[in-house]
Amino acid sequence: MVVKVSPAAPAKSAGVFQDIINSIFEPGVNHGVMLVMNCAFFGLFVILLYLMVATNFNLHVCALTVIAALLFGSIQWFIMEASAAQQRQTASPASPSMQTPKNKKKKL
């Protein structure tokens, strides 16, 4: 008996490490990569907040915290926009302006 997996059904996650390895060969960003990236940024923010308190809100540490927050926000925004564009592309067929007529020939 042969079991076919439909492309519309989401694949079951095999684990975070396996998701990261699979993301190398798949387009887009999967859940495992997002989880690891968010955990890394969380660790960065914890360390930067500790440093802000330990250094009595040093200007350089505060600036690094702002830069890290802006980087995190821009990465999250880019991933949301890229996934929305990919969903729009798969949902809509090719536009008629992109198709070229086959039987029309130009006369010079």
Side-chain angles (χ1 to χ4, degrees):
M1 180 158 88
V2 176
V3 178
K4 292 184 179 180
V5 177
S6 69
K12 187 175 179 181
S13 178
V16 175
F17 184 71
Q18 188 67 37
D19 283 347
I20 292 171
I21 297 300
N22 289 340
S23 73
I24 296 170
F25 305 108
E26 298 172 355
V29 178
N30 60 25
H31 178 71
V33 173
M34 288 293 296
L35 180 66
V36 169
M37 184 186 68
N38 288 339
C39 289
F41 270 106
F42 177 74
L44 175 66
F45 288 131
V46 167
I47 290 170
L48 286 173
L49 289 175
Y50 171 75
L51 284 173
M52 282 175 39
V53 171
T55 61
N56 291 328
F57 296 95
N58 184 342
L59 179 64
H60 296 97
V61 178
C62 292
L64 285 175
T65 305
V66 170
I67 291 170
L70 292 173
L71 177 65
F72 177 71
S74 64
I75 289 173
Q76 295 294 321
W77 172 81
F78 180 79
I79 291 172
M80 282 191 330
E81 290 296 320
S83 65
Q86 186 178 16
Q87 288 175 354
R88 282 193 304 266
Q89 183 181 12
T90 57
S92 66
S95 65
S97 63
M98 298 296 285
Q99 298 172 352
T100 58
K102 294 180 181 177
N103 296 332
K104 290 186 178 182
K105 293 183 179 180
K106 279 188 170 181
K107 292 184 180 180
L108 296 175

